[in-house]
Structures are given as structure tokens and as C-alpha cells.
Amino acid sequence: MAEFVHREKAHVLPLDSIRGIAAVSVVIHHLLLMPTFLAVFPHNAWINCSFFRSAWLLVDLFFVLSGIVMSLSYVRGDFGRFSLREFMLRRFARVYPLHLVTLLAGLLFRLLRIGLVAAGLVIAAPAAFEVNNFSSFVLNIFLLHSMGPIDYLSWNAPSWSISVEFYTYLVFGLVILFAQRMRSLSYLYACAGLLVVGSLFVITFVLDKPSLGLQTDFGVLRCFVSFFLGVLTVMLVERMRPGMHPTVQGGIQLFTMIASIVLVSVVEAYPPASFLAPLIFAAFLGSLLAFPNAAFIPRMLVARPLVWLGRRSYSIYMVHSIVVLFAEYFVRALGPARIAALDAVSAGLPATLNLCVSLAAVLVVSHFTYLHVEIPGGKLFRNMAGSRSRLGGAAAPSAPPLN
């Protein structure tokens, strides 16, 4: 039996850092717009601005980045010996341990709340499960909760993107197998282009969506658009001619970075602009990949704090809703009188303090889950899959996942 072993590729540190910055921006977005906080705080936090209010769009940056990383890892150098089984096992080992832990943490929290309400220690209405019910829990277990069976966010809400991305991995793997069978990468890129164009067509003309903000309502199509644009970005970068002056390279990176920030900022006022986001993000990330030695931006993005954020970006994204949930209960317990007193000192002070403390808590918790859930959990799942492979006579994967 042929042995398929995908070797780990080197991290592109600037791309890691961008992922971390985007994850933190999504956390700030939710802290600014959480209904509980909007109702309780007299004034908004000091950094409330259109960019953070529309930072939900940065999920598409994650999707583009994932397409780039998967293409670098499983197409460049590995074409012709791709193993769908090994690829999906690695993807599962990468995303599932933390998803499962956050899902169980949500279940534990809600069971605790029911117990406290039943004991009369906490007043909550309704006390029982609402959208976070048994059926949605089972769908979350199988990562199917954003694939159409239900039309609402459930349990750990940010995991909707993990659901659609996992099954996008499957489509990506099948496309690679098809191109491998046809013995040409041209088929991979042709399929990627068809998936991008076809998904955009369905979103705009069939579903008649006013923006790219799909989640449980065919969010997988949104993922197809951005992910496969990432795949096409790697193809274009590999075909670029060398020799461009470093100043020009830096100018392209700066322009596409500013364009990305401006685009996110204008989406609040003009939602249709969101359809341009995957293309602009792909241009920015592609420029970082194409010009790693350009002045300023790549050097800035390899700063240790940003690389630290990038390594923990998945944990930051997955644990923040749980931290925000506790922050909501704390703010309610604090009471309107204390909040008003703080706000009287300086307008927006309590909202800003809540944002800073909550964000700091997210970073602390994400560091813990990165070290004690992501890394060991991924190793455990890969070892379990490897043991079953050896018992079945197949080769076991050996290298850790790239991202």
C-alpha cells in the first residue's frame, strides 16, 4: 500500500500575525455590539468605530487565509500523492478538540444556570434551554450546525464558521483528488474558479442576499467564495515574475492593507461592499506571500506580540463568546448605579473598562486552551487515528498540522 505523508510546511509569520489581529478585532466587534452591553452602558466604549462594528467581515479573511494555507500545505510539492483520508484526519484533529471543549463548557454553564434558577439563587427567563437544545447540541457534535438543518446560531456561536469550513475542507480535498486523477493542477484551479463564481451567483441572484453576511443561511457558500479565492491566490503568486523593486512591493502591500481597512469600515453604511471583501483580502494576503522581504509591513508583522496572537488566534476566536457570557453576568450583577457612577467620571469609561478587562480575559483563557487543549488535543486525535491506521495496516500521519 502506498504511503502518504504530508510534511509540515514552514509558517509564514506575517500571515499568522494577520490571523491574530483579525481574531482580536472580531472579539472587539462582539464586545461593542453585545445587546446586554448596549442596554446597560450609557455611552459606548472609546474605540467604538465603524471598522470594529463591521469586523464580522474579517471571518472572510480567515477563510481566504485558510485557502492559502491549505494550498501551500497540500498542493505545493504534494500534488500527485495527496491522501484525502489523512488530510481530513488532520483537519479534524486541528479543529475538533477545542470545538468539543467549548461546546461542553457551554453545556456545563447552561446546566449550572438551570440548577441555580431552580434553587432560587438566580433569576433568569427562560430558565430552560432555548435555541441551545438537544437537537442543536447533536448537530454541533457532528459540525453540522451551520450546514442547513437549523437556521439560528447555537451554543458557541462563533463555531458556525468552523462548521462550514470543515466541510469546505472536504470539498477542497475532493477537488484535489479529481485534479490528481486528471494529472493536472489546471483542473484544481478551474474547479476553484467555478466554485467562487458559482457560489457568488447563488448568493446574489438565487438567495438575493444584500451582503456577504451569511452564517447558518448557506454560510458554506460564503466560505466557498473566500476559501477558493485563497487557493487561486497561491496560483497567481507562484506565477508572478520576480524582480519587482522592494519599494514597489511595499507600496502594493500598504495599498491593499489600507483598502482592506477602508472596505471593512464602509460596509456598515454600504453592506453590498462586503462582496468585494474576499477579493481585497486575497490581494493583501497574496502580497504578503509574494513579497516577504518588502519594507515595513512584513517586518512589523513578525513582532513577537503579533506572532503570539497569531499562534493563539483559533483559541481567541473560539473561547471569546464564553468569556463575553461571563462578562454579561458580571455587568448585570454590578448594577446600573455603579455603572452610572463610573460613566459620570468619564463618558464611556465603564464600557471601555469592560472591553479591556474582557479582552484581557480572552487572551488569558486562549493561552490556556492553546497550551492545554489545542496542542495536546490535536496530538491525541492524530495518535488515535494513527493507532487505528497501524492496526489496519495503513501508514500513520506523522507531522503536526500547519495551522
Side-chain angles (χ1 to χ4, degrees):
M1 181 176 293
E3 181 176 354
F4 295 95
V5 177
H6 298 298
R7 293 179 175 84
E8 182 186 19
K9 308 302 185 297
H11 282 276
V12 182
L13 291 182
L15 298 184
D16 268 359
S17 298
I18 289 294
R19 187 190 291 113
I21 294 168
V24 169
S25 298
V26 171
V27 176
I28 294 173
H29 164 76
H30 288 135
L31 286 167
L32 290 176
L33 298 183
M34 192 60 58
T36 298
F37 300 147
L38 290 175
V40 169
F41 295 130
H43 295 91
N44 293 323
W46 297 333
I47 64 168
N48 189 309
C49 64
S50 58
F51 175 83
F52 289 122
R53 290 194 299 269
S54 297
W56 59 268
L57 193 55
L58 294 178
V59 172
D60 296 279
L61 186 145
F62 293 144
F63 292 153
V64 174
L65 185 53
S66 185
I68 290 174
V69 171
M70 291 303 102
S71 189
L72 289 174
S73 299
Y74 295 98
V75 176
R76 180 186 282 180
D78 280 351
F79 186 72
R81 53 193 182 94
F82 175 80
S83 166
L84 180 62
R85 177 185 177 277
E86 182 187 337
F87 171 67
M88 292 306 296
L89 283 174
R90 287 181 177 281
R91 294 299 90 208
F92 185 80
R94 176 67 183 96
V95 304
Y96 199 76
L98 186 56
H99 167 67
L100 180 61
V101 167
T102 54
L103 179 60
L104 294 177
L107 175 63
L108 179 62
F109 178 86
R110 283 163 177 83
L111 290 174
L112 177 62
R113 188 185 74 163
I114 290 175
L116 292 174
V117 171
L121 298 176
V122 172
I123 299 174
F129 293 76
E130 304 93 32
V131 297
N132 297 321
N133 48 42
F134 177 76
S135 60
S136 64
F137 185 85
V138 172
L139 290 170
N140 271 266
I141 287 288
F142 292 100
L143 288 170
L144 289 167
H145 50 294
S146 291
M147 294 299 293
I150 55 177
D151 60 356
Y152 51 82
L153 296 175
S154 60
W155 297 96
N156 186 19
S159 71
W160 76 267
S161 64
I162 307 305
S163 168
V164 299
E165 189 168 349
F166 182 78
Y167 291 99
T168 300
Y169 292 149
L170 178 60
V171 173
F172 173 68
L174 292 173
V175 169
I176 292 181
L177 285 183
F178 170 68
Q180 210 165 248
R181 177 68 62 89
M182 303 305 292
R183 299 185 178 183
S184 174
L185 273 174
S186 298
Y187 288 93
L188 167 63
Y189 298 128
C191 289
L194 287 173
L195 284 164
V196 171
V197 174
S199 298
L200 274 174
F201 178 85
V202 173
I203 292 170
T204 54
F205 295 106
V206 178
L207 300 177
D208 196 26
K209 295 293 183 180
S211 75
L212 200 58
L214 295 81
Q215 293 178 327
T216 57
D217 51 342
F218 301 96
V220 69
L221 295 176
R222 175 182 175 184
C223 188
F224 281 174
V225 171
S226 297
F227 183 95
F228 286 102
L229 265 177
V231 173
L232 293 173
T233 298
V234 174
M235 176 200 71
L236 293 173
V237 167
E238 290 179 339
R239 296 183 180 183
M240 289 183 63
R241 294 181 179 179
M244 192 178 294
H245 194 277
T247 303
V248 178
Q249 295 177 357
I252 293 173
Q253 291 176 344
L254 182 62
F255 175 79
T256 53
M257 182 183 74
I258 293 173
S260 299
I261 295 170
V262 170
L263 179 65
V264 174
S265 300
V266 303
V267 161
E268 182 181 40
Y270 188 65
S274 61
F275 289 110
L276 292 174
L279 190 61
I280 301 300
F281 293 156
F284 175 47
L285 296 173
S287 72
L288 292 176
L289 183 63
F291 312 130
N293 298 317
F296 184 59
I297 293 179
R299 297 176 186 176
M300 176 183 68
L301 291 175
V302 296
R304 285 188 178 182
L306 295 181
V307 174
W308 187 93
L309 285 178
R311 301 291 192 194
R312 289 150 184 82
S313 57
Y314 181 49
S315 275
I316 291 170
Y317 181 75
M318 288 293 285
V319 308
H320 81 269
S321 66
I322 297 174
V323 174
V324 171
L325 185 63
F326 279 97
E328 286 185 276
Y329 277 84
F330 176 80
V331 166
R332 289 194 189 107
L334 196 61
R338 293 187 180 91
I339 291 173
L342 278 173
D343 201 70
V345 174
S346 179
L349 177 60
T352 303
L353 287 175
N354 175 68
L355 188 150
C356 293
V357 172
S358 298
L359 182 57
V362 168
L363 296 181
V364 170
V365 174
S366 64
H367 179 64
F368 177 85
T369 55
Y370 173 73
L371 294 178
H372 301 289
V373 178
E374 278 193 63
I375 295 176
K379 288 180 180 178
L380 175 63
F381 274 70
R382 290 194 301 274
N383 290 338
M384 289 170 60
S387 298
R388 284 194 290 270
S389 295
R390 286 189 290 272
L391 289 172
S398 59
L402 176 64
N403 71 330

